[in-house]
Structure formats: structure tokens, C-alpha cells
């Protein structure tokens, strides 16, 4: 689906293009802030949908030399009123609601059905980024991120990436190859080529010997994380999606407020917070939620938020504390029959004994053509 949107608000155009094309990769989105550019674009290319801001309500499609019978046109407006008796979309809907509104317009003239739901059939590549973040120290977010990667590996192609300042990936996944995030960040500082990036990713992405999970090792030294900027992070994730075929990217990261964390949150499709549910963790969770609320004011849409309660204590007012976070599971404190030391591997085994443990994170997108 090829879309052209005309709006004088450049900031809105940038956010519209970024978030919709990131989440719905089958959409090609072109933006412009003046009528002359719009005329040049529509006369030089074929678009499926034209969206004009309400400020351009005096423009007629005939002026653009467009056959209105073969194109889908609608206004976007910051009010709910209908403009010139044309289809009008409220421009400040969430990304998913904007997408649904555009699809409804598209289906009117194109006999095309767009569905979403749980299915393993894919007709359009879509990589989802799921980021695990701890609410507090010792929450077990690294263990849960690793368990999630293992769970997904039996169903789809999955890549685990460790972005912790003090990475713990070697506890869960092993390989003789020493390359990792440090090598990628160092390479991004050079005048790299597409071929060079493709070769580097091939050498850095490894397979765990036991679980067969694909993974990228964390930083070699703790100071290497300083070289990771928000720009490098975005380039890294874009390159992985461009040159690999992974359905899911599972990221294990620290919750350390910074420009890099903000970029990671924005680039993620889902955030999974791991907490014990104790009074102390609830207090820290409230601070995190306040940060997310402030961040949401500056973005068109935030990722879906999930909570995994690990070593669960119980909450007095759970619904109030969690707000709009969807609970994946409530895992009780771990025990062994012989009171021996509990290892990370034994915890993962207990977590994965519930075969549906991460099913709420499993989502697929399907696009089908329909006969008239």
C-alpha cells in the first residue's frame, strides 16, 4: 500500500511516517508539506491513498491531474468533523487506529482484506522487538529474557541481544566466538559498506550449542557501553532487520534513564517489565510508570507494556499499581526438592514447564487478497 500525506506540520509528518512504516512494513509512506511537492509526487508515481490535512480543503483532485475514481482520498483533521463531505480521519489517533482507518478506506475500492491475529502464516516480513527491563535489582529480567528467547525459538526465528552494561548472556548462551555488540559499535564508527555490515552480522550472530538460540553477545568491557549512542542503536536494529530473517528480536537491557534507553523504548514493539511485586518494587514501578507517561507525550505511540511478576510476593492493589500493563504470568518463589542451590538453568526449566508462559507476546500479521 503506497500512501501520500500532505500536511504543513513537519513534526507530525515525521512521526506519522516513522511509526506507521516501522510497525507496518508493507506500507510505503511519502510525506510533503506543500502543494507543489504533492503535485510533483502524484504526477510521477501511483499512490493508493492520499491524505490531505484539513487546511488544504479548497484543493480539488482535478487540479492535481488525478483520476479521483481510481484513488482513495481522505482528509486528516484535528477535529471529528467531516470535511467537504469526504472521508475524514482524526489525525491524533493511535498508530494502530490510524492504520485501521486507512485500511478501511483502502478496502472500499481495492477489495483487499487486511487481518491481524495469532497465526504462523506470514505473507509480509515483520520483525517485532521485545525488550525486557527490570523494575529493580535482582528482578530476574535477564533470566526471563533468555527463557523468552528459548520459548520463541521453537516457534519462530528469534534473535537474543544483550544490551546490559554488565552483560550476563554467557550464563545462558555460549559460543567459542568472542565477537559481540562491542565489535558492531566499533564497526559503525568506520566508513562501512552494506557488504561489510552483512558480513559482520553473519560473524557476530551466534548459535547457542544447547538451545540453538541465535544471539549477539553483550559488551566485552563495561566501558564499551559508552560508545552506544541512540543513533548507533537505531542503525544496529535497522541493519539486523534488513540483513536477517528473524521474526522476533528479544533484547535484554538495563533500566538506566538515558537517550539510549528512550530510543530503545521507542523502537520496541513490546516492553516487558520484570518485578517481584514487593512494596519496594511497587514504589520503583510507580517511578518508571511516571517516566513512561512523560515519554508518551512526545511520541505518537508507545509500545505495549507487559508485566512479568517473578518471585511473586502478592499485591494489595494490583490493578491500581499496574495501570495498563498486561500481566504475562505470576511466578512464585523457586524451590528445589533437596534444598540445593537454585541455578539460572533450573529456573528457566521451571519457567518453560508452563508451555504457554509467553503466549501473550506471540503475535503475527497476515495480509491476504480477496476475490470480489
Amino acid at each position: 500500500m503506497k500512501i501520500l500525506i500532505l500536511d504543513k506540520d513537519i513534526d507530525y509528518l515525521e512521526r506519522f511516517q516513522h511509526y506507521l512504516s516501522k510497525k507496518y512494513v508493507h506500507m510505503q509512506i511519502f510525506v510533503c508539506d506543500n502543494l507543489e511537492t504533492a503535485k510533483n509526487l502524484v504526477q510521477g508515481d501511483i499512490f493508493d491513498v492520499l491524505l490531505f490535512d484539513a487546511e488544504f480543503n479548497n484543493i480539488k483532485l482535478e487540479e492535481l491531474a488525478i483520476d479521483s475514481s481510481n484513488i482513495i482520498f481522505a482528509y486528516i483533521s484535528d477535529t471529528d468533523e467531516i470535511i467537504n463531505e469526504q472521508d475524514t480521519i482524526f489525525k491524533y489517533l493511535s498508530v494502530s487506529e490510524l492504520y485501521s482507518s486507512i485500511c478501511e478506506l483502502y478496502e472500499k475500492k481495492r477489495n483487499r482484506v487486511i487481518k491481524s491475529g495469532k497465526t504462523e502464516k506470514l505473507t509480509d516480513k515483520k520483525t517485532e522487538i521485545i525488550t525486557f527491563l527490570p523494575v529493580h535489582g535482582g528482578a530476574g529480567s535477564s533470566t526471563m529474557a533468555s527463557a523468552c528467547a528459548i520459548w520463541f525459538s521453537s516457534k519462530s526465528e528469534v534473535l537474543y541481544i544483550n544490551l546490559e552494561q554488565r552483560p550476563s548472556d554467557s550464563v545462558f548462551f555460549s559460543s567459542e566466538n568472542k565477537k559481540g555488540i562491542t565489535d558492531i559499535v566499533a564497526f559503525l564508527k568506520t566508513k562501512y559498506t552494506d557488504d561489510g555490515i552483512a558480513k559482520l552480522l553473519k560473524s557476530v550472530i551466534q548459535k547457542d550449542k544447547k538451545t540453538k538460540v541465535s544471539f549477539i553477545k553483550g559488551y566485552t568491557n563495561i566501558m564499551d557501553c559508552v560508545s552506544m549512542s541512540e543513533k548507533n542503536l537505531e542503525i544496529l536494529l535497522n541493519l539486523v532487520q534488513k540483513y536477517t530473517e528473524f521474526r522476533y528480536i528479544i533484547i535484554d537491557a538495563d533500566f538506566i534513564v538515558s537517550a539510549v534507553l528512550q530510543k530503545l523504548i521507542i523502537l520496541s514493539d513490546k516492553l516487558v517489565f520484570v518485578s517481584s511485586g514487593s512494596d519496594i518494587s511497587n514504589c520503583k514501578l510507580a517511578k518508571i510508570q511516571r517516566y513512561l507517561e512523560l515519554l508518551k507525550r512526545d511520541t505518537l505511540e508507545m509500545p505495549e507494556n507487559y508485566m512479568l511478576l517473578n518471585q511473586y510476593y502478592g499485591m494489595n492493589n494490583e490493578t491500581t499499581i499496574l495501570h495498563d500493563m498486561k500481566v504475562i504470568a505470576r511466578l512464585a518463589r523457586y524451590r528445589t526438592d533437596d534444598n540445593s542451590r537454585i541455578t539460572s538453568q533450573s529456573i528457566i526449566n521451571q519457567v518453560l514447564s508452563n508451555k504457554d508462559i509467553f503466549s501473550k507476546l506471540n503475535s503475527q500479521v497476515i495480509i491476504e487478497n480477496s476475490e470480489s
Side-chain angles (χ1 to χ4, degrees), residues 75 79-88:
Y75 287 106
T79 68
D80 290 328
E81 64 178 326
I82 303 299
I83 309 297
N84 290 344
E85 298 183 352
Q86 289 274 5
D87 291 305
T88 306

Side-chain angles (χ1 to χ4, degrees), residues 30 43 61 81 90 103 114 122 131 166-167 175 181 196 207 221 225 228 279-280 356 361:
F30 295 77
Q43 290 171 12
L61 294 183
E81 64 178 326
F90 180 54
C103 289
I114 299 179
L122 282 177
T131 298
R166 294 158 290 172
S175 168
I181 289 293
K207 280 272 190 180
N221 301 301
C225 67
M228 177 63 84
D279 291 340
I280 293 176
D356 297 324
L361 298 176

Side-chain angles (χ1 to χ4, degrees), residues 139-155:
S141 61
S142 291
T143 305
M144 295 303 112
S146 302
C148 183
I150 296 170
W151 187 87
F152 269 116
S153 67
S154 64
K155 299 167 178 59

Side-chain angles (χ1 to χ4, degrees), residues 334-352:
Y334 305 100
R335 299 279 191 277
T336 57
D337 295 334
D338 56 1
N339 292 320
S340 60
R341 185 173 69 90
I342 299 176
T343 64
S344 297
Q345 186 57 57
S346 64
I347 292 175
I348 287 179
N349 291 340
Q350 289 185 46
V351 171
L352 295 180

